Amino acid sequence: MNRAGRRHKAYRRGHSAEYFAALALMLKGFRIVERRYRTKLGEIDLIARRGNLILIVEVKARTTLEQAMEAVTGTAMRRIESTADLWLARQPDYAKLSLRFDLVAILPWRWPVHVPAVFMV
């Protein structure tokens, strides 16, 4: 398979992983506010809300939970945090909101694994 084909396959797998992650969060009572929120600073896979709790969610499709957690690097954390700050500043009720950075790991043949507070700021 050529490079463009691999990239397209990874893009489709990412969309599929985000769909399943969103479904798992909705079943936990969260409302998906944004999917693939993009700015010049970076991208957030999912932003979910339940009451005043906002989840900034990184979705990783990997073979094991350990691999998924290791894939969230320090650089990625800073990028996600900067993008989250920008999103939060644009919310009219931002003073009432509490933010949490979570991971949803999409593993082969398993229900998505939701890891709350995968990193702190």
Side-chain angles (χ1 to χ4, degrees):
M1 183 182 300
N2 64 13
R3 199 168 106 195
R6 284 192 304 271
R7 205 168 45 229
H8 184 68
K9 186 176 179 181
Y11 180 82
R12 282 197 332 263
R13 187 175 56 220
H15 261 296
S16 174
E18 287 167 11
Y19 169 81
F20 287 116
L23 181 63
L25 291 171
M26 287 188 291
L27 290 172
K28 287 183 164 194
F30 288 94
R31 183 170 48 92
I32 304 302
V33 194
E34 299 274 356
R35 289 175 193 246
R36 291 197 170 194
Y37 178 76
R38 291 182 189 171
T39 70
K40 289 180 180 178
L41 300 173
E43 178 183 327
I44 297 172
D45 294 334
L46 295 172
I47 300 176
R49 181 174 184 161
R50 184 170 62 194
N52 288 334
L53 175 62
I54 301 293
L55 300 186
I56 304 298
V57 182
E58 184 70 5
V59 178
K60 293 291 181 188
R62 297 291 189 273
T63 308
T64 67
L65 179 58
E66 185 178 73
Q67 287 174 347
M69 291 180 77
E70 288 173 355
V72 183
T73 62
T75 305
M77 289 178 205
R78 285 188 295 281
R79 176 186 50 78
I80 293 165
E81 181 188 354
S82 299
T83 308
D85 287 344
L86 192 57
W87 181 86
L88 193 60
R90 294 177 177 169
Q91 304 311 304
D93 58 346
Y94 74 93
K96 291 188 250 171
L97 302 175
S98 54
L99 211 55
R100 193 172 79 197
F101 296 89
D102 290 7
L103 168 76
V104 175
I106 306 298
L107 308 172
W109 306 109
R110 291 196 44 203
W111 187 251
V113 178
H114 179 204
V115 182
V118 74
F119 70 90
M120 301 290 194
V121 284

